[in-house]
Amino acid sequence: MTDRRLARRPRGFVLIVALFIMLVLGIVAVGFMAQAEQTGRTALAVSGQQIAVMRAEAAAMDAVRAIRGNQINPGGLTARPPPDGAANCANVNCIMRVQPPGPATVPLREGGGLQWEWVVYKSMQPGTTANRYTIQANGFYGYTNTAPNFTTARVEVEIDIGDAFGSNATEYGGNSGAL
């Protein structure tokens, strides 16, 4: 009888080992799923930032086109506006244009939401020529500026009016909102 009892004891141990292996595999699977979700969120944020940068560059090109096409005349500008120039832009200190937002029913990647704005003001850098102006262009990704995925990008360009080759980028950066 002792031989029969010894033969039965190892069978219960195999069940415990199998349950432990299943537990470890489950924890590993949950870890992979969490990492995949985080990677997806990061990819979405980077994609939104790229769209915001493209919109900021489009805004800067629109401002250069408006100046060189004589649609606006920055010749009367005398001073740089406050740091948040877009919010406090007065016609005496700067010229501003805002692209109307796309419809809220259109996906952000297809042109929905906030687009871009630009501000032109007199360059106050020491040693600059009298006809040098700064274009501050902001691109956006998001339906409103309070949206959880709202992202901005800013491009600043110095341009000499009357000089076909006088522009150079002085700042290129952005700010992403929380996911």
Side-chain angles (χ1 to χ4, degrees), residues 25-36:
L25 289 174
I27 291 172
V28 169
V30 167
F32 279 130
M33 288 174 47
Q35 186 172 1

Side-chain angles (χ1 to χ4, degrees), residues 4 22 48 53-54 72 108 111-112 114 117-118 122 130 135 142 147 161 165:
R4 287 184 188 174
M22 292 299 290
V53 167
M54 287 187 289
I72 63 169
L108 290 170
L114 299 177
E117 69 184 12
W118 54 255
K122 180 80 173 145
I135 299 170
I161 305 296
F165 304 103

Side-chain angles (χ1 to χ4, degrees), residues 31-160:
F32 279 130
M33 288 174 47
Q35 186 172 1
E37 182 179 342
Q38 182 61 33
T39 301
R41 286 184 184 184
T42 302
L44 182 63
V46 168
S47 172
Q49 181 67 29
Q50 288 174 341
I51 291 172
V53 167
M54 287 187 289
R55 289 178 177 173
E57 290 173 347
M61 287 186 275
D62 183 70
V64 170
R65 182 187 51 76
I67 292 170
R68 293 203 169 141
N70 293 323
Q71 294 175 355
I72 63 169
N73 181 10
L77 302 178
T78 58
R80 181 182 177 136
D84 58 343
N88 295 316
C89 186
N91 286 335
V92 176
N93 293 329
C94 61
I95 301 168
M96 179 177 174
R97 181 179 294 169
V98 177
Q99 175 73 11
T105 56
V106 176
L108 290 170
R109 291 181 186 353
E110 297 174 15
L114 299 177
Q115 300 293 309
W116 52 258
E117 69 184 12
W118 54 255
V119 178
V120 177
Y121 54 86
K122 180 80 173 145
S123 180
M124 301 307 284
Q125 303 256 345
T128 59
T129 61
N131 61 343
R132 179 162 281 213
Y133 298 90
T134 302
I135 299 170
Q136 184 184 88
N138 299 308
F140 308 110
Y141 177 80
Y143 289 109
T144 66
N145 60 358
T146 57
N149 64 342
F150 186 72
T151 304
T152 63
R154 173 177 289 168
V155 175
E156 279 195 11
V157 177
E158 295 279 325
I159 184 170
D160 288 328

